[in-house]
């Protein structure tokens, strides 16, 4: 896929990589807009 994007640059602007996260009622955590995952911000909900 990277080779196609390199050879045909118009694809680069059309490609969007969505973020997928697992969910649990036991974990209290919010996703960040910059896609960084900082584990220290996650807590266990009791």
């Amino acid at each position: 896929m990277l080779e196609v994007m390199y050879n045909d640059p118009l694809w680069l602007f059309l490609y969007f990589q969505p973020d997928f996260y697992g969910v649990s009622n036991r974990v209290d955590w919010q996703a960040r807009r910059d896609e960084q995952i900082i584990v220290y911000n996650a807590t266990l909900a009791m």
Side-chain angles (χ1 to χ4, degrees), residues 1-8 11 14-17:
M1 183 170 179
L2 291 175
E3 183 178 351
V4 171
M5 291 169 65
Y6 179 79
N7 292 333
D8 189 8
W11 280 90
L14 299 175
Y15 180 73
F16 174 73
Q17 176 65 44

Side-chain angles (χ1 to χ4, degrees), residues 2 10-11 15 17 21-23 27 29-33 35 38 42 44:
L2 291 175
L10 294 177
W11 280 90
Y15 180 73
Q17 176 65 44
Y21 300 100
V23 294
V27 177
W29 177 78
Q30 293 292 322
R32 295 170 44 116
R33 290 185 180 199
E35 301 177 4
I38 300 177
L44 287 176

Side-chain angles (χ1 to χ4, degrees), residues 31-42:
R32 295 170 44 116
R33 290 185 180 199
D34 61 1
E35 301 177 4
Q36 288 185 337
I37 299 175
I38 300 177
V39 180
Y40 294 112
N41 294 338

